[in-house]
Amino acid sequence: MNSRRTALFLVVLIVLAGFYYWKVHRPQATERIFSFSQDSKQAGVLALNPKEIVNRITLRDASKETEISFFKLNDQSWRITHPGDYPAESLIVNGFVTLLKLTKRARSLSFEGLSEKEFGFKTPRLIICVSTNERKKERCLLIGSDAAIANGAYAKWRDESKYFLVDSNFLSAFDKTLYAVRKKQIFSLLNKPITSIRFQSSDREFEIKREGKRWMLSKPVQAVLGDEAANQLLNQLNGLYIKEFLDQERPENSKFGFKSARRQIKIIFEDGSDRVLIQGAEAPGRDAYYAQIKDEQNVLLISLGKLNQVEKAFRTLVS
């Protein structure tokens, strides 16, 4: 093989290698721009200092025409402050914070030569505002229109000049109704030690007390409760959830029957606090009873069958 043919062969080989690198091996420009990979070099959606803690969150959803605000209490639980005042599902709200911190931004892009209006930021479909223990002034994340190529949406912080992308999983996590984020479990029996539990119906009264590691029945008779009976009762109480919130109703209305309560369940904790569920009349056609938590103004609906099972569990203690 003469030198000219050798040189030609080398040129062809270099061209083929270059073609492979640029067209096959090297990622396309659009793939680099719209990648949702969790590259450690990518910044998180929400960057915080090491000791900085989110203590307020507000979700403004244009499609639902809703605004829900949360405030973090000293015991690390969350409470809804708007609309109205009510305990929040802390697990869900903590999930919002975790998602904001851990979700990586797709590659940030400049608005150079572009208008924010083109990306839906003038009328964002979702606004997520946060404030922290170090920065009381809230920062707002704007979620604009769907991304042209990737399965997600354009996003930007209101005070930043660049935009980035968030994926569909991020969007669906914040797609919550007011009912979804309100705390619905009536008795959280694992949070604080219990001293006693009282149940009162129209014709019977029961009381069980905690003595060391054992439960004792003190009313209507005195007896030691077996572990199976005690656990079954506690599981029934722990499984009571609010079926619906009737926020537009007032508990003073006689139709709810709270003045002559059908049943009451009172749990007393070691710290002296208590929580009392008051059951009123049956809600026609709702398969539920009207109910109220003592010292709270919300009218609730609680499953008829669930409350009946609780009474059955108490009556089983003396059968």
Side-chain angles (χ1 to χ4, degrees):
M1 182 180 295
N2 59 38
S3 58
R4 181 178 295 181
R5 293 183 64 183
T6 301
L8 180 60
F9 178 78
L10 289 175
V11 169
V12 172
L13 185 62
I14 291 170
V15 170
L16 289 175
F19 179 85
Y20 175 79
Y21 176 78
W22 287 100
K23 294 298 183 179
V24 180
H25 180 70
R26 188 172 182 267
Q28 297 297 311
T30 54
E31 290 176 352
R32 297 198 305 277
I33 291 174
F34 293 101
S35 171
F36 283 94
S37 66
Q38 302 297 304
D39 189 339
S40 60
K41 294 181 180 179
Q42 290 177 303
V45 170
L46 176 64
L48 298 175
N49 296 324
K51 295 184 179 180
E52 192 172 10
I53 298 172
V54 174
N55 52 24
R56 292 181 184 272
I57 302 178
T58 296
L59 307 180
R60 301 187 181 104
D61 191 316
S63 63
K64 297 185 181 69
E65 298 183 342
T66 59
E67 178 175 325
I68 309 173
S69 297
F70 307 90
F71 176 71
K72 194 170 191 177
L73 304 176
N74 291 332
D75 64 358
Q76 304 304 306
S77 65
W78 289 87
R79 194 167 185 91
I80 296 170
T81 57
H82 178 83
D85 180 47
Y86 200 84
E89 288 283 9
S90 295
L91 189 64
I92 292 178
V93 187
N94 284 327
F96 293 156
V97 176
T98 300
L99 195 61
L100 287 168
K101 292 192 298 184
L102 296 185
T103 298
K104 301 296 183 181
R105 306 183 186 196
R107 182 175 175 180
S108 295
L109 301 171
S110 171
F111 282 107
E112 185 177 352
L114 302 171
S115 168
E116 290 189 13
K117 187 176 181 180
E118 297 179 38
F119 300 91
F121 294 134
K122 290 298 182 182
T123 55
R125 63 188 188 189
L126 176 65
I127 302 176
I128 306 167
C129 298
V130 300
S131 58
T132 72
N133 58 328
E134 296 183 5
R135 288 180 279 187
K136 298 189 182 300
K137 183 180 179 180
E138 69 176 13
R139 297 177 60 204
C140 293
L141 178 68
L142 312 180
I143 307 297
S145 54
D146 289 337
I149 298 177
N151 184 20
Y154 299 112
K156 75 175 291 290
W157 289 97
R158 181 172 283 158
D159 58 352
E160 293 183 2
S161 59
K162 290 187 175 183
Y163 70 95
F164 51 93
L165 299 174
V166 290
D167 65 19
S168 57
N169 292 327
F170 181 93
L171 300 176
S172 62
F174 286 94
D175 185 17
K176 295 289 187 291
T177 63
L178 178 60
Y179 177 81
V181 297
R182 293 176 78 166
K183 185 175 181 179
K184 293 170 281 295
Q185 187 177 28
I186 297 171
F187 299 115
S188 300
L189 303 184
L190 301 179
N191 292 347
K192 294 190 294 185
I194 301 169
T195 299
S196 64
I197 301 174
R198 299 173 186 170
F199 177 90
Q200 186 174 354
S201 65
S202 57
D203 63 336
R204 299 293 295 271
E205 182 177 356
F206 300 86
E207 182 177 19
I208 64 174
K209 294 183 177 180
R210 185 83 174 181
E211 295 185 5
K213 295 183 179 181
R214 307 183 70 178
W215 284 98
M216 304 290 295
L217 178 65
S218 59
K219 290 182 181 180
V221 296
Q222 293 188 345
V224 177
L225 293 183
D227 290 341
E228 184 177 348
N231 289 336
Q232 182 179 359
L233 177 58
L234 293 173
N235 286 336
Q236 293 285 356
L237 292 169
N238 207 51
L240 281 179
Y241 284 80
I242 296 167
K243 186 175 182 179
E244 190 174 339
F245 298 88
L246 305 181
D247 291 325
Q248 305 307 315
E249 302 284 0
R250 307 308 302 164
E252 295 81 12
N253 192 323
S254 59
K255 75 175 184 178
F256 300 127
F258 294 139
K259 290 186 177 180
S260 55
R262 273 61 166 178
R263 291 182 281 207
Q264 283 194 19
I265 303 172
K266 182 176 184 179
I267 296 183
I268 303 173
F269 301 96
E270 279 188 4
D271 62 4
S273 63
D274 62 34
R275 188 165 176 83
V276 182
L277 174 66
I278 302 168
Q279 180 217 305
E282 183 176 342
R286 309 291 288 273
D287 193 30
Y289 292 112
Y290 295 117
Q292 180 187 21
I293 305 296
K294 183 182 177 183
D295 299 327
E296 296 182 5
Q297 292 302 306
N298 303 92
V299 178
L300 317 168
L301 288 181
I302 299 181
S303 167
L304 184 149
K306 290 285 187 180
L307 275 175
N308 289 344
Q309 288 175 11
V310 169
E311 178 166 357
K312 181 179 179 180
F314 272 103
R315 290 184 179 275
T316 301
L317 299 178
V318 294
S319 60

PDB file of all heavy atoms in Angstrom, residues 266-296:
ATOM      1  N   LYS A 266     -64.007  10.376  74.582  1.00  0.00           N
ATOM      2  CA  LYS A 266     -63.039  11.296  75.182  1.00  0.00           C
ATOM      3  C   LYS A 266     -61.742  10.553  75.485  1.00  0.00           C
ATOM      4  O   LYS A 266     -61.757   9.534  76.173  1.00  0.00           O
ATOM      5  CB  LYS A 266     -63.595  11.913  76.462  1.00  0.00           C
ATOM      6  CG  LYS A 266     -62.659  12.927  77.126  1.00  0.00           C
ATOM      7  CD  LYS A 266     -63.330  13.565  78.342  1.00  0.00           C
ATOM      8  CE  LYS A 266     -62.455  14.644  78.951  1.00  0.00           C
ATOM      9  NZ  LYS A 266     -63.108  15.292  80.109  1.00  0.00           N
ATOM     10  N   ILE A 267     -60.645  11.067  74.974  1.00  0.00           N
ATOM     11  CA  ILE A 267     -59.333  10.493  75.254  1.00  0.00           C
ATOM     12  C   ILE A 267     -58.528  11.508  76.059  1.00  0.00           C
ATOM     13  O   ILE A 267     -58.401  12.670  75.667  1.00  0.00           O
ATOM     14  CB  ILE A 267     -58.591  10.133  73.949  1.00  0.00           C
ATOM     15  CG1 ILE A 267     -59.376   9.041  73.205  1.00  0.00           C
ATOM     16  CG2 ILE A 267     -57.175   9.673  74.244  1.00  0.00           C
ATOM     17  CD1 ILE A 267     -58.715   8.540  71.947  1.00  0.00           C
ATOM     18  N   ILE A 268     -58.026  11.066  77.208  1.00  0.00           N
ATOM     19  CA  ILE A 268     -57.240  11.925  78.096  1.00  0.00           C
ATOM     20  C   ILE A 268     -55.790  11.476  78.046  1.00  0.00           C
ATOM     21  O   ILE A 268     -55.492  10.288  78.198  1.00  0.00           O
ATOM     22  CB  ILE A 268     -57.774  11.857  79.545  1.00  0.00           C
ATOM     23  CG1 ILE A 268     -59.258  12.262  79.570  1.00  0.00           C
ATOM     24  CG2 ILE A 268     -56.960  12.764  80.465  1.00  0.00           C
ATOM     25  CD1 ILE A 268     -59.916  12.072  80.919  1.00  0.00           C
ATOM     26  N   PHE A 269     -54.893  12.440  77.834  1.00  0.00           N
ATOM     27  CA  PHE A 269     -53.472  12.145  77.693  1.00  0.00           C
ATOM     28  C   PHE A 269     -52.713  12.437  78.982  1.00  0.00           C
ATOM     29  O   PHE A 269     -53.218  13.135  79.873  1.00  0.00           O
ATOM     30  CB  PHE A 269     -52.880  12.952  76.536  1.00  0.00           C
ATOM     31  CG  PHE A 269     -53.542  12.687  75.209  1.00  0.00           C
ATOM     32  CD1 PHE A 269     -54.557  13.515  74.745  1.00  0.00           C
ATOM     33  CD2 PHE A 269     -53.161  11.604  74.434  1.00  0.00           C
ATOM     34  CE1 PHE A 269     -55.177  13.266  73.526  1.00  0.00           C
ATOM     35  CE2 PHE A 269     -53.766  11.341  73.217  1.00  0.00           C
ATOM     36  CZ  PHE A 269     -54.779  12.173  72.763  1.00  0.00           C
ATOM     37  N   GLU A 270     -51.529  11.899  79.078  1.00  0.00           N
ATOM     38  CA  GLU A 270     -50.727  12.030  80.303  1.00  0.00           C
ATOM     39  C   GLU A 270     -50.390  13.476  80.639  1.00  0.00           C
ATOM     40  O   GLU A 270     -50.200  13.827  81.806  1.00  0.00           O
ATOM     41  CB  GLU A 270     -49.425  11.219  80.184  1.00  0.00           C
ATOM     42  CG  GLU A 270     -49.597   9.742  80.459  1.00  0.00           C
ATOM     43  CD  GLU A 270     -48.269   9.006  80.524  1.00  0.00           C
ATOM     44  OE1 GLU A 270     -47.213   9.678  80.429  1.00  0.00           O
ATOM     45  OE2 GLU A 270     -48.280   7.782  80.668  1.00  0.00           O
ATOM     46  N   ASP A 271     -50.317  14.334  79.621  1.00  0.00           N
ATOM     47  CA  ASP A 271     -49.978  15.739  79.882  1.00  0.00           C
ATOM     48  C   ASP A 271     -51.178  16.557  80.337  1.00  0.00           C
ATOM     49  O   ASP A 271     -51.096  17.776  80.514  1.00  0.00           O
ATOM     50  CB  ASP A 271     -49.343  16.380  78.649  1.00  0.00           C
ATOM     51  CG  ASP A 271     -50.286  16.401  77.444  1.00  0.00           C
ATOM     52  OD1 ASP A 271     -51.454  15.986  77.574  1.00  0.00           O
ATOM     53  OD2 ASP A 271     -49.831  16.831  76.354  1.00  0.00           O
ATOM     54  N   GLY A 272     -52.330  15.888  80.514  1.00  0.00           N
ATOM     55  CA  GLY A 272     -53.531  16.561  80.995  1.00  0.00           C
ATOM     56  C   GLY A 272     -54.452  17.054  79.898  1.00  0.00           C
ATOM     57  O   GLY A 272     -55.592  17.445  80.173  1.00  0.00           O
ATOM     58  N   SER A 273     -54.009  17.032  78.672  1.00  0.00           N
ATOM     59  CA  SER A 273     -54.862  17.451  77.559  1.00  0.00           C
ATOM     60  C   SER A 273     -55.841  16.343  77.195  1.00  0.00           C
ATOM     61  O   SER A 273     -55.681  15.187  77.603  1.00  0.00           O
ATOM     62  CB  SER A 273     -54.010  17.811  76.345  1.00  0.00           C
ATOM     63  OG  SER A 273     -53.297  16.674  75.888  1.00  0.00           O
ATOM     64  N   ASP A 274     -56.864  16.714  76.451  1.00  0.00           N
ATOM     65  CA  ASP A 274     -57.828  15.713  76.012  1.00  0.00           C
ATOM     66  C   ASP A 274     -58.340  16.050  74.622  1.00  0.00           C
ATOM     67  O   ASP A 274     -58.094  17.140  74.100  1.00  0.00           O
ATOM     68  CB  ASP A 274     -58.995  15.599  77.004  1.00  0.00           C
ATOM     69  CG  ASP A 274     -59.788  16.897  77.138  1.00  0.00           C
ATOM     70  OD1 ASP A 274     -59.933  17.637  76.146  1.00  0.00           O
ATOM     71  OD2 ASP A 274     -60.249  17.215  78.250  1.00  0.00           O
ATOM     72  N   ARG A 275     -59.014  15.092  74.024  1.00  0.00           N
ATOM     73  CA  ARG A 275     -59.661  15.282  72.725  1.00  0.00           C
ATOM     74  C   ARG A 275     -61.000  14.572  72.782  1.00  0.00           C
ATOM     75  O   ARG A 275     -61.059  13.375  73.119  1.00  0.00           O
ATOM     76  CB  ARG A 275     -58.789  14.745  71.595  1.00  0.00           C
ATOM     77  CG  ARG A 275     -59.313  15.081  70.188  1.00  0.00           C
ATOM     78  CD  ARG A 275     -58.234  14.853  69.159  1.00  0.00           C
ATOM     79  NE  ARG A 275     -58.688  15.069  67.788  1.00  0.00           N
ATOM     80  CZ  ARG A 275     -58.765  16.248  67.179  1.00  0.00           C
ATOM     81  NH1 ARG A 275     -58.441  17.340  67.863  1.00  0.00           N
ATOM     82  NH2 ARG A 275     -59.155  16.351  65.923  1.00  0.00           N
ATOM     83  N   VAL A 276     -62.053  15.308  72.462  1.00  0.00           N
ATOM     84  CA  VAL A 276     -63.408  14.786  72.623  1.00  0.00           C
ATOM     85  C   VAL A 276     -64.139  14.849  71.286  1.00  0.00           C
ATOM     86  O   VAL A 276     -64.239  15.915  70.663  1.00  0.00           O
ATOM     87  CB  VAL A 276     -64.193  15.593  73.681  1.00  0.00           C
ATOM     88  CG1 VAL A 276     -65.587  14.987  73.862  1.00  0.00           C
ATOM     89  CG2 VAL A 276     -63.442  15.624  75.008  1.00  0.00           C
ATOM     90  N   LEU A 277     -64.653  13.707  70.861  1.00  0.00           N
ATOM     91  CA  LEU A 277     -65.478  13.622  69.657  1.00  0.00           C
ATOM     92  C   LEU A 277     -66.935  13.547  70.088  1.00  0.00           C
ATOM     93  O   LEU A 277     -67.312  12.701  70.896  1.00  0.00           O
ATOM     94  CB  LEU A 277     -65.112  12.383  68.838  1.00  0.00           C
ATOM     95  CG  LEU A 277     -66.008  12.097  67.631  1.00  0.00           C
ATOM     96  CD1 LEU A 277     -65.863  13.183  66.571  1.00  0.00           C
ATOM     97  CD2 LEU A 277     -65.701  10.721  67.039  1.00  0.00           C
ATOM     98  N   ILE A 278     -67.755  14.444  69.536  1.00  0.00           N
ATOM     99  CA  ILE A 278     -69.181  14.494  69.847  1.00  0.00           C
ATOM    100  C   ILE A 278     -69.952  14.075  68.608  1.00  0.00           C
ATOM    101  O   ILE A 278     -69.810  14.685  67.539  1.00  0.00           O
ATOM    102  CB  ILE A 278     -69.601  15.912  70.274  1.00  0.00           C
ATOM    103  CG1 ILE A 278     -68.794  16.359  71.496  1.00  0.00           C
ATOM    104  CG2 ILE A 278     -71.101  15.967  70.558  1.00  0.00           C
ATOM    105  CD1 ILE A 278     -68.934  17.833  71.819  1.00  0.00           C
ATOM    106  N   GLN A 279     -70.755  13.033  68.739  1.00  0.00           N
ATOM    107  CA  GLN A 279     -71.571  12.576  67.613  1.00  0.00           C
ATOM    108  C   GLN A 279     -72.988  13.090  67.753  1.00  0.00           C
ATOM    109  O   GLN A 279     -73.608  12.960  68.816  1.00  0.00           O
ATOM    110  CB  GLN A 279     -71.606  11.055  67.551  1.00  0.00           C
ATOM    111  CG  GLN A 279     -72.455  10.527  66.387  1.00  0.00           C
ATOM    112  CD  GLN A 279     -73.232   9.278  66.730  1.00  0.00           C
ATOM    113  OE1 GLN A 279     -72.642   8.288  67.162  1.00  0.00           O
ATOM    114  NE2 GLN A 279     -74.540   9.311  66.545  1.00  0.00           N
ATOM    115  N   GLY A 280     -73.496  13.693  66.681  1.00  0.00           N
ATOM    116  CA  GLY A 280     -74.856  14.205  66.689  1.00  0.00           C
ATOM    117  C   GLY A 280     -75.806  13.281  65.950  1.00  0.00           C
ATOM    118  O   GLY A 280     -75.700  12.053  66.024  1.00  0.00           O
ATOM    119  N   ALA A 281     -76.723  13.872  65.190  1.00  0.00           N
ATOM    120  CA  ALA A 281     -77.752  13.109  64.484  1.00  0.00           C
ATOM    121  C   ALA A 281     -77.173  12.441  63.241  1.00  0.00           C
ATOM    122  O   ALA A 281     -76.083  12.764  62.780  1.00  0.00           O
ATOM    123  CB  ALA A 281     -78.896  14.037  64.098  1.00  0.00           C
ATOM    124  N   GLU A 282     -77.938  11.507  62.695  1.00  0.00           N
ATOM    125  CA  GLU A 282     -77.539  10.873  61.448  1.00  0.00           C
ATOM    126  C   GLU A 282     -77.783  11.831  60.293  1.00  0.00           C
ATOM    127  O   GLU A 282     -78.817  12.512  60.235  1.00  0.00           O
ATOM    128  CB  GLU A 282     -78.326   9.579  61.243  1.00  0.00           C
ATOM    129  CG  GLU A 282     -77.913   8.810  59.995  1.00  0.00           C
ATOM    130  CD  GLU A 282     -78.633   7.473  59.865  1.00  0.00           C
ATOM    131  OE1 GLU A 282     -79.182   6.985  60.877  1.00  0.00           O
ATOM    132  OE2 GLU A 282     -78.639   6.920  58.743  1.00  0.00           O
ATOM    133  N   ALA A 283     -76.838  11.897  59.366  1.00  0.00           N
ATOM    134  CA  ALA A 283     -76.981  12.767  58.197  1.00  0.00           C
ATOM    135  C   ALA A 283     -77.774  12.019  57.138  1.00  0.00           C
ATOM    136  O   ALA A 283     -77.302  10.993  56.620  1.00  0.00           O
ATOM    137  CB  ALA A 283     -75.604  13.154  57.659  1.00  0.00           C
ATOM    138  N   PRO A 284     -78.965  12.476  56.776  1.00  0.00           N
ATOM    139  CA  PRO A 284     -79.826  11.755  55.841  1.00  0.00           C
ATOM    140  C   PRO A 284     -79.146  11.507  54.490  1.00  0.00           C
ATOM    141  O   PRO A 284     -78.615  12.434  53.870  1.00  0.00           O
ATOM    142  CB  PRO A 284     -81.043  12.684  55.682  1.00  0.00           C
ATOM    143  CG  PRO A 284     -81.026  13.549  56.902  1.00  0.00           C
ATOM    144  CD  PRO A 284     -79.594  13.726  57.253  1.00  0.00           C
ATOM    145  N   GLY A 285     -79.171  10.251  54.049  1.00  0.00           N
ATOM    146  CA  GLY A 285     -78.637   9.893  52.745  1.00  0.00           C
ATOM    147  C   GLY A 285     -77.136  10.006  52.607  1.00  0.00           C
ATOM    148  O   GLY A 285     -76.603   9.896  51.499  1.00  0.00           O
ATOM    149  N   ARG A 286     -76.382  10.182  53.711  1.00  0.00           N
ATOM    150  CA  ARG A 286     -74.927  10.369  53.610  1.00  0.00           C
ATOM    151  C   ARG A 286     -74.151   9.190  54.197  1.00  0.00           C
ATOM    152  O   ARG A 286     -72.916   9.188  54.160  1.00  0.00           O
ATOM    153  CB  ARG A 286     -74.508  11.655  54.347  1.00  0.00           C
ATOM    154  CG  ARG A 286     -75.303  12.894  53.966  1.00  0.00           C
ATOM    155  CD  ARG A 286     -75.028  13.348  52.559  1.00  0.00           C
ATOM    156  NE  ARG A 286     -73.712  13.953  52.415  1.00  0.00           N
ATOM    157  CZ  ARG A 286     -73.473  15.248  52.631  1.00  0.00           C
ATOM    158  NH1 ARG A 286     -74.438  16.072  53.015  1.00  0.00           N
ATOM    159  NH2 ARG A 286     -72.251  15.727  52.445  1.00  0.00           N
ATOM    160  N   ASP A 287     -74.848   8.185  54.744  1.00  0.00           N
ATOM    161  CA  ASP A 287     -74.186   7.046  55.382  1.00  0.00           C
ATOM    162  C   ASP A 287     -73.171   7.539  56.407  1.00  0.00           C
ATOM    163  O   ASP A 287     -72.055   7.032  56.510  1.00  0.00           O
ATOM    164  CB  ASP A 287     -73.488   6.169  54.337  1.00  0.00           C
ATOM    165  CG  ASP A 287     -73.058   4.814  54.913  1.00  0.00           C
ATOM    166  OD1 ASP A 287     -73.740   4.333  55.836  1.00  0.00           O
ATOM    167  OD2 ASP A 287     -72.038   4.271  54.461  1.00  0.00           O
ATOM    168  N   ALA A 288     -73.589   8.561  57.170  1.00  0.00           N
ATOM    169  CA  ALA A 288     -72.671   9.188  58.110  1.00  0.00           C
ATOM    170  C   ALA A 288     -73.449   9.866  59.231  1.00  0.00           C
ATOM    171  O   ALA A 288     -74.666  10.085  59.132  1.00  0.00           O
ATOM    172  CB  ALA A 288     -71.799  10.215  57.394  1.00  0.00           C
ATOM    173  N   TYR A 289     -72.729  10.174  60.290  1.00  0.00           N
ATOM    174  CA  TYR A 289     -73.263  10.978  61.388  1.00  0.00           C
ATOM    175  C   TYR A 289     -72.643  12.363  61.331  1.00  0.00           C
ATOM    176  O   TYR A 289     -71.481  12.527  60.919  1.00  0.00           O
ATOM    177  CB  TYR A 289     -72.909  10.363  62.744  1.00  0.00           C
ATOM    178  CG  TYR A 289     -73.580   9.041  63.055  1.00  0.00           C
ATOM    179  CD1 TYR A 289     -72.832   7.868  63.133  1.00  0.00           C
ATOM    180  CD2 TYR A 289     -74.955   8.963  63.305  1.00  0.00           C
ATOM    181  CE1 TYR A 289     -73.439   6.659  63.437  1.00  0.00           C
ATOM    182  CE2 TYR A 289     -75.568   7.758  63.610  1.00  0.00           C
ATOM    183  CZ  TYR A 289     -74.799   6.603  63.676  1.00  0.00           C
ATOM    184  OH  TYR A 289     -75.401   5.407  63.976  1.00  0.00           O
ATOM    185  N   TYR A 290     -73.411  13.368  61.763  1.00  0.00           N
ATOM    186  CA  TYR A 290     -72.814  14.666  62.004  1.00  0.00           C
ATOM    187  C   TYR A 290     -71.942  14.541  63.255  1.00  0.00           C
ATOM    188  O   TYR A 290     -72.282  13.833  64.204  1.00  0.00           O
ATOM    189  CB  TYR A 290     -73.897  15.729  62.249  1.00  0.00           C
ATOM    190  CG  TYR A 290     -74.775  16.000  61.056  1.00  0.00           C
ATOM    191  CD1 TYR A 290     -76.146  15.746  61.095  1.00  0.00           C
ATOM    192  CD2 TYR A 290     -74.247  16.537  59.873  1.00  0.00           C
ATOM    193  CE1 TYR A 290     -76.970  15.997  60.016  1.00  0.00           C
ATOM    194  CE2 TYR A 290     -75.053  16.793  58.778  1.00  0.00           C
ATOM    195  CZ  TYR A 290     -76.414  16.526  58.857  1.00  0.00           C
ATOM    196  OH  TYR A 290     -77.225  16.770  57.773  1.00  0.00           O
ATOM    197  N   ALA A 291     -70.831  15.231  63.253  1.00  0.00           N
ATOM    198  CA  ALA A 291     -69.924  15.145  64.395  1.00  0.00           C
ATOM    199  C   ALA A 291     -69.193  16.464  64.581  1.00  0.00           C
ATOM    200  O   ALA A 291     -69.143  17.316  63.680  1.00  0.00           O
ATOM    201  CB  ALA A 291     -68.918  14.008  64.202  1.00  0.00           C
ATOM    202  N   GLN A 292     -68.626  16.612  65.774  1.00  0.00           N
ATOM    203  CA  GLN A 292     -67.885  17.823  66.116  1.00  0.00           C
ATOM    204  C   GLN A 292     -66.788  17.467  67.105  1.00  0.00           C
ATOM    205  O   GLN A 292     -66.967  16.585  67.953  1.00  0.00           O
ATOM    206  CB  GLN A 292     -68.826  18.861  66.736  1.00  0.00           C
ATOM    207  CG  GLN A 292     -68.155  20.165  67.138  1.00  0.00           C
ATOM    208  CD  GLN A 292     -69.087  21.085  67.907  1.00  0.00           C
ATOM    209  OE1 GLN A 292     -70.078  20.621  68.478  1.00  0.00           O
ATOM    210  NE2 GLN A 292     -68.774  22.374  67.930  1.00  0.00           N
ATOM    211  N   ILE A 293     -65.635  18.129  66.980  1.00  0.00           N
ATOM    212  CA  ILE A 293     -64.576  18.014  67.975  1.00  0.00           C
ATOM    213  C   ILE A 293     -64.801  19.116  69.005  1.00  0.00           C
ATOM    214  O   ILE A 293     -64.989  20.281  68.636  1.00  0.00           O
ATOM    215  CB  ILE A 293     -63.175  18.150  67.349  1.00  0.00           C
ATOM    216  CG1 ILE A 293     -62.990  17.132  66.224  1.00  0.00           C
ATOM    217  CG2 ILE A 293     -62.092  17.990  68.412  1.00  0.00           C
ATOM    218  CD1 ILE A 293     -63.032  15.696  66.680  1.00  0.00           C
ATOM    219  N   LYS A 294     -64.789  18.756  70.272  1.00  0.00           N
ATOM    220  CA  LYS A 294     -65.014  19.754  71.328  1.00  0.00           C
ATOM    221  C   LYS A 294     -64.028  20.914  71.200  1.00  0.00           C
ATOM    222  O   LYS A 294     -62.849  20.711  70.918  1.00  0.00           O
ATOM    223  CB  LYS A 294     -64.862  19.087  72.700  1.00  0.00           C
ATOM    224  CG  LYS A 294     -65.138  20.016  73.879  1.00  0.00           C
ATOM    225  CD  LYS A 294     -64.914  19.306  75.194  1.00  0.00           C
ATOM    226  CE  LYS A 294     -65.108  20.246  76.370  1.00  0.00           C
ATOM    227  NZ  LYS A 294     -64.826  19.567  77.664  1.00  0.00           N
ATOM    228  N   ASP A 295     -64.532  22.135  71.370  1.00  0.00           N
ATOM    229  CA  ASP A 295     -63.765  23.382  71.312  1.00  0.00           C
ATOM    230  C   ASP A 295     -63.367  23.766  69.892  1.00  0.00           C
ATOM    231  O   ASP A 295     -62.593  24.707  69.701  1.00  0.00           O
ATOM    232  CB  ASP A 295     -62.515  23.324  72.200  1.00  0.00           C
ATOM    233  CG  ASP A 295     -62.844  23.109  73.677  1.00  0.00           C
ATOM    234  OD1 ASP A 295     -63.902  23.598  74.116  1.00  0.00           O
ATOM    235  OD2 ASP A 295     -62.046  22.466  74.375  1.00  0.00           O
ATOM    236  N   GLU A 296     -63.886  23.050  68.901  1.00  0.00           N
ATOM    237  CA  GLU A 296     -63.671  23.441  67.511  1.00  0.00           C
ATOM    238  C   GLU A 296     -65.027  23.714  66.867  1.00  0.00           C
ATOM    239  O   GLU A 296     -66.033  23.148  67.266  1.00  0.00           O
ATOM    240  CB  GLU A 296     -62.921  22.345  66.740  1.00  0.00           C
ATOM    241  CG  GLU A 296     -61.506  22.098  67.265  1.00  0.00           C
ATOM    242  CD  GLU A 296     -60.750  21.048  66.463  1.00  0.00           C
ATOM    243  OE1 GLU A 296     -61.294  20.584  65.434  1.00  0.00           O
ATOM    244  OE2 GLU A 296     -59.625  20.699  66.865  1.00  0.00           O
TER     245      GLU A 296
END
